[in-house]
Amino acid sequence: MNSFTDAALPATDSTATTKEAPDLDAQLAKFTGTVGNVRVDNAKMSMTGVDVHYGDAQAIHNVDLDLGKNEVMAMIGPSGCGKSTFLRCLNRMNDTIESCKVAGSLTLDGEDIYERNQDVVLLRARVGIVFQKPNPFPKSIYDNVAYGPRIHGLAASKSELDDIVEQSLKRASLWSEVADRLDNPGTGLSGGQQQRLCIARTIAVSPEVILMDEPCSALDPIATAKIEELIDELGKNYTIAIVTHSMQQAARVSDRTAYFHLGRLVEVGVTNDIFTNPTHQLTENYITGRFG
Amino acid sequence: MSETTEIVRASLAKRYARERRFRLLGLASVMASAAFLVLLLGNILTKAWPAFTTTYVKIDVPLTPEVLRLPDAPDSEAIASARYGRAVKQAMRDLFPDVSSRSEKRALYQTVSAQAEFTVKDAVIANPELIGTTHSLWVLADDDLDTYRKSKSLQAVPEEDRRFKDFQVTWLEELSAQNRIKTSFNWVFFERGDSREPELAGIRGALAGSFYTLIVTLALSFPIGVAAAIYLESFAPRNRLTDLIEVNINNLAAVPSIVFGLLGVAVFINFLHLPRSAPLVGGVVLSLMTLPTIIIASRAAIKSVPPSIADAALGLGASRMQAVMHHVLPLAMPGILTGTIIGMAQALGETAPLLMIGMVAFIVDVPTGITDPATVLPVQVYLWSDSPERAFTERTSAAIVVLLVFLILMNAFAVYLRKRFERSW
Ligand SMILES: Nc1ncnc2c1ncn2[C@@H]1O[C@H](COP(=O)(O)OP(=O)(O)OP(=O)(O)O)[C@@H](O)[C@H]1O
Ligand SMILES: [Mg+2]
């Protein structure tokens, strides 16, 4: 048990790195397959045997997981364990990374999303993503939010588009801060505001599945609470996968929780069970703060 | 902790000294290049200065029907073909009735430019009522007179070493005394094409030639170059073939320009039979030269746009084309424009390949399209610098000044465009 605490410390001296290698092996030795039920009855997305390689390095090892309809799935795990990588597989954003190779079966409503004749444009309109790093377009706040509806032709008129922009910004609880300066550049906002702008931009398209990669990492508790409210509300009609480093957040917003470790899906379960009664030792170590 | 402080403090003086040395070095090189620039510009400007003014002579032209050899009640055709040259000669003889020898008379007639009779003609055609009167008119002086007047150093040269002889100098003095000489801005230089007569030689033809040539070059190399860069950066797979293409583009940028001229002769003139000396062919040849520059600069500009921007668009369901056109390209535009302007500036100053395709011909008419025979500014500079007349020497420098101004305007336009695009950040 003590060895994990050591590994968790940042490598301030060289001795720590040499100690780490056997620890990784020790941790992997404890992994024998995902604990808990990865499948649900009414799956929106269903992943089976997903392997992801960056060049020669494998980032995701044989992961099976379902995202249920109108379910909020939290993905937690130590930094570098592959949460973002897995999330980006779900709408094929990894296609943009040349060295990245995805194998396995991933389906949306029963259709394989990596199939040859799968239209990625349509897929990404259905499966939206909020990236880990806020990346607003260097355009006006209005244009940032309006871009998705514009390219998909979701608004018939200017007033309808105005409406979508306003609603999206309101739901991302950014409206009150930017209502009077919609023409200012989105890149001129603060880090947290940019994060909410990116959320507004994604939900403006009303995708069926929303992938959120640490959407609250730069937000204060009040803004965080508002985003969590938004996730709660969206979760009634949409499928949401959210990556977070905050246990409390995962516990508050999600229906189920998946714990990733070194590219493996260690444990999946109903959120309450995971946090009150984790089965796997790695999960327990992580959520009790002995690792990560 | 305190150990770090000690070590850092000990090294501080050295670090600052290095920085100071570097700053001095930078300042010195900036000063050196500035000095060269001032020297160059100063030299050209002082040489070019006289070419921007020219001398006019006032003559009283007797427009009687006898002199003009006009019938009674002439129609417009007769007026157009009247003998205005005789009238000018008569006017000169009237000014200096004492001149009698043949050679002196010829010199006298040549005090004014050959253009003078056309000036008279234009005046009469514009106002036929002048016929029968004696009309005072400012006409262009000959270049020998003009150069002599403007050049102090020429005035000090002994008579046998200059074209403008002493008896002509006395005429000049007399004309000045009668207030018949004036200096004014040299509009002729900006309104006319090339000419064998220096006082009538203008830059307009070469300017138009350069303009049309660059239009062709820009129209070809900008869209093709940017499209190629976008394709290579955003769509092409990374493999042997694209590597080969990349190497070739880089090589192309280093090919001596005269080779492109030879290619132009072989392909566009001998094979495709496009017109010789035309801005069309010149522009195509120059665009071969500027393409690599534009492609390389555009690729670098596209590469420097953060991939997260394209990701954001793709993540919303934009197609790759949309992500590039809506987001990447506008952000890359300042860099692309910089590259384009460098390429165009190279093209503007290029001479060798244009000599090969015949844009070195003596062309009087100002071209009005991309298929008219034309020459370009640097070739005009080259042609004039070869002429012995002193008046052409100053026009050579003046042409260089015009070339530089053209270049500065082009650059200013690019800077303006860049500012406009940069605002969208
Ligand atoms: N573009 C890439 N090229 C190569 N390797 C990558 C790339 N992106 C991620 N990786 C590697 O894949 C592994 C998983 O990375 P990932 O970004 O998915 O982690 P994460 O769980 O999201 O971590 P964090 O919580 O810090 O965001 C890491 O070891 C990382 O080094
Ligand atoms: Mg991540």
Side-chain angles (χ1 to χ4, degrees), chain B residues 26 89 155 205 322 394:
Chain B
K89 284 178 184 167
Q155 290 163 13
Q322 285 173 324
E394 57 188 46

Side-chain angles (χ1 to χ4, degrees), chain A residues 88 91 93 96 98 121 124-125 128-129 131 135-139 147 151-152 185 187 201-202 205, chain B residues 236-238 308-320 322-323 326-327 330-331 424-425:
Chain A
R88 289 165 60 98
N91 72 346
M93 277 315 292
T96 61
E98 203 153 348
V121 169
R124 290 180 190 145
I129 186 165
F131 292 95
N135 53 353
F137 298 126
K139 297 184 185 248
Y147 183 69
I151 56 171
H152 297 305
T187 36
R201 186 173 66 183
T202 302
V205 185
Chain B
R238 285 253 162 278
S308 65
I309 300 287
D311 279 358
L314 293 174
L316 286 171
S319 67
R320 262 210 281 186
Q322 285 173 324
H326 297 163
H327 299 287
L331 294 179
S424 64
W425 258 113

Side-chain angles (χ1 to χ4, degrees), chain A residues 79-85 88 132 213-214 243 245:
Chain A
S79 182
C81 69
K83 306 178 296 293
S84 298
T85 302
R88 289 165 60 98
Q132 181 163 3
D213 202 344
E214 300 185 36
V243 171
H245 278 293

Side-chain angles (χ1 to χ4, degrees), chain A residues 31-282:
Chain A
F31 178 78
T32 49
T34 307
V35 178
N37 194 0
V38 297
R39 300 296 169 200
V40 291
D41 293 336
N42 54 346
K44 180 76 182 168
M45 296 193 79
S46 180
M47 277 62 68
T48 311
V50 176
D51 284 321
V52 182
H53 287 85
Y54 288 109
D56 291 333
Q58 189 162 3
I60 296 288
H61 298 256
N62 193 27
V63 169
D64 298 344
L65 187 64
D66 277 2
L67 300 185
K69 268 207 178 69
N70 307 338
E71 175 185 68
V72 178
M73 164 73 79
M75 297 178 179
I76 58 172
S79 182
C81 69
K83 306 178 296 293
S84 298
T85 302
F86 186 71
L87 204 67
R88 289 165 60 98
C89 291
L90 304 186
N91 72 346
R92 293 187 56 174
M93 277 315 292
N94 280 334
D95 289 11
T96 61
I97 299 169
E98 203 153 348
S99 65
C100 187
K101 296 278 171 295
V102 180
S105 139
L106 298 91
T107 63
L108 173 65
D109 288 336
E111 286 170 40
D112 191 341
I113 61 175
Y114 277 83
E115 205 170 67
R116 207 171 250 285
N117 53 13
Q118 168 69 49
D119 193 311
V120 270
V121 169
L122 182 62
L123 171 69
R124 290 180 190 145
R126 295 175 67 192
V127 184
I129 186 165
V130 178
F131 292 95
Q132 181 163 3
K133 270 184 261 164
N135 53 353
F137 298 126
K139 297 184 185 248
S140 73
I141 294 169
Y142 182 94
D143 286 340
N144 261 284
V145 183
Y147 183 69
R150 269 198 192 124
I151 56 171
H152 297 305
L154 300 183
S157 64
K158 173 85 172 90
S159 62
E160 212 173 305
L161 189 61
D162 288 349
D163 213 43
I164 294 179
V165 171
E166 183 176 340
Q167 287 311 317
S168 306
L169 285 170
K170 275 185 176 154
R171 294 169 86 183
S173 65
L174 186 60
W175 178 253
S176 59
E177 288 158 67
V178 299
D180 54 345
R181 47 174 177 145
L182 289 177
D183 290 333
N184 289 15
T187 36
L189 296 175
S190 80
Q193 288 172 330
Q194 288 187 16
Q195 211 159 31
R196 280 173 285 159
L197 179 63
C198 291
I199 294 172
R201 186 173 66 183
T202 302
I203 59 177
V205 185
S206 317
E208 298 160 36
V209 181
I210 303 176
L211 312 172
M212 295 180 157
D213 202 344
E214 300 185 36
C216 302
S217 61
L219 299 189
D220 62 77
I222 296 166
T224 303
K226 294 228 177 93
I227 295 301
E228 287 175 6
E229 252 170 60
L230 170 71
I231 294 170
D232 259 349
E233 180 209 319
L234 289 172
K236 291 182 194 132
N237 303 308
Y238 300 90
T239 300
I240 296 174
I242 173 174
V243 171
T244 176
H245 278 293
S246 155
M247 303 310 146
Q248 291 83 350
Q249 182 167 63
R252 279 194 300 260
V253 300
S254 67
D255 303 316
R256 288 199 304 154
T257 297
Y259 174 67
F260 285 79
H261 194 109
L262 289 173
R264 279 88 178 162
L265 178 54
V266 174
E267 185 166 353
V268 188
V270 174
T271 300
N272 243 339
D273 297 348
I274 292 258
F275 283 104
T276 52
N277 189 15
T279 313
H280 202 286
Q281 201 196 342
L282 287 168

